Amino acid sequence: MRAWDEKQLHWHLTTRRFGRQFVYLDEVDSTNRFLKENPEIFTLSGGVLIAGHQSAGRGRQSRLWSDCADSSLLFSLALRLHGQSDSKGMLSLLPAIALGRTIRNHDTGADVELKWPNDVLLSHRKVAGILAESSSTESGETIVIGVGINVNSIPSIEFAWPAISLWQGSAWHPSREVLLAELLNAWEPLFDAYMDGAFDSIRESWEELGPRYGSRMRRVEFNSVSEGEFVGLGLNGQLLLRLSSGEIQEVFSGDIQLQ
């Protein structure tokens, strides 16, 4: 496997906390699982565990996340929370906003769209997925946010949602180290805004990159199916759908299919 270039990461990093502590592993089953079980490896909030390859990467609802070794950016970031427990649903929105903005900053013509709750699309195909999980220890609650980005290739297996790589879908072709640094640079101020309670600003930022207002969507969860129009995000980051009856449905979980 290609060695991780620590100097290149730090050269581009402008954060105060995010990424200032990191561990790189050539291979691990899941960066989220490893970090949840070993929270002591970082003394600062914002520590990052990076993997060259995940043998059992996971997405939402325990779905498989497959990657191409050294061709994907795979990492988990640990956040120690003090307060804001009622709005934790917004935390997984932050890296999606940060990645969408970062791609747009380098390629203004890139067709970037955020898919609720935690996917980033390029040209209507999935380039990144995000999974937020929480764990409690004696020192408090830690939120572990895993991010998987197809950088310069995509896995050969088929997924429910078509995949694309960053290099395929945009004119920006960064290394994994530069991509991580730029993503963390954009993510940290969003997290600071979250901790300051600037939830309206965060929702507006997501909606700027999200689906068009009034887009038709179908929400599926187990045997329950509902359809409606997208009308924004709620106070805690939940999806808001206007049903045919005119009722506004708050969606906190489930699969969202764009129509």
Side-chain angles (χ1 to χ4, degrees), residues 39 42 45 47 56 59 76 103 118 155 177 182 184-185 197 216 229 232:
F42 298 127
S45 183
S76 292
I103 296 172
N118 50 15
E177 293 87 349
E182 297 253 7
L184 295 177
N185 292 343
R216 297 287 303 173
E229 296 179 348

Side-chain angles (χ1 to χ4, degrees), residues 44-256:
L44 298 176
S45 183
V48 176
L49 175 67
I50 310 158
H53 172 61
Q54 290 186 125
S55 59
R58 293 179 296 112
R60 291 179 62 243
Q61 300 179 347
S62 299
R63 291 193 179 101
L64 171 71
W65 174 274
S66 183
D67 65 82
C68 298
D70 292 333
S71 297
S72 302
L73 176 58
L74 310 165
F75 71 94
S76 292
L77 181 141
L79 296 170
R80 293 189 174 92
L81 288 190
H82 304 284
Q84 310 296 17
S85 59
D86 293 337
S87 302
K88 288 187 294 186
M90 302 194 79
L91 282 171
S92 64
L93 305 181
L94 305 184
I97 297 169
L99 179 58
R101 284 179 172 177
T102 299
I103 296 172
R104 283 267 182 91
N105 286 342
H106 289 277
D107 180 1
T108 56
D111 183 11
V112 182
E113 183 178 328
L114 305 185
K115 177 178 177 288
W116 190 90
N118 50 15
D119 289 341
V120 180
L121 308 181
L122 267 177
S123 301
H124 309 292
R125 291 183 285 174
K126 184 172 178 176
V127 70
I130 297 157
L131 177 65
E133 300 179 292
S134 64
S135 63
S136 297
T137 64
E138 294 180 358
S139 59
E141 183 178 22
T142 297
I143 304 296
V144 175
I145 302 181
V147 180
I149 306 172
N150 300 321
V151 180
N152 59 0
S153 66
I154 60 174
S156 58
I157 64 175
E158 294 186 2
F159 295 98
W161 194 272
I164 194 173
S165 74
L166 177 60
W167 286 25
Q168 289 174 318
S170 80
W172 184 40
H173 297 168
S175 66
R176 293 179 301 160
E177 293 87 349
V178 169
L179 175 58
L180 176 59
E182 297 253 7
L183 174 54
L184 295 177
N185 292 343
W187 187 352
E188 186 177 75
L190 288 168
F191 179 70
D192 290 341
Y194 168 86
M195 294 303 293
D196 289 339
F199 304 136
D200 287 342
S201 174
I202 292 170
R203 284 197 303 274
E204 290 171 2
S205 296
W206 192 94
E207 289 171 356
E208 286 176 4
L209 292 164
R212 179 176 49 83
Y213 189 90
S215 296
R216 297 287 303 173
M217 297 181 176
R218 175 185 290 117
R219 179 248 187 174
V220 179
E221 186 169 26
F222 303 110
N223 294 323
S224 174
V225 178
S226 56
E227 296 183 359
E229 296 179 348
F230 171 72
V231 291
L233 298 181
L235 294 176
N236 296 317
Q238 70 270 36
L239 187 75
L240 301 180
L241 290 181
R242 180 187 290 119
L243 307 182
S244 58
S245 64
E247 173 192 356
I248 301 298
Q249 181 183 63
E250 295 184 296
V251 177
F252 292 91
S253 60
D255 280 334
I256 298 299

Side-chain angles (χ1 to χ4, degrees), residues 16-28:
R16 291 174 290 112
R17 303 178 310 280
F18 280 28
R20 292 302 174 179
Q21 290 185 332
F22 80 90
V23 171
Y24 177 83
L25 301 174
D26 282 336
E27 182 173 336
V28 69

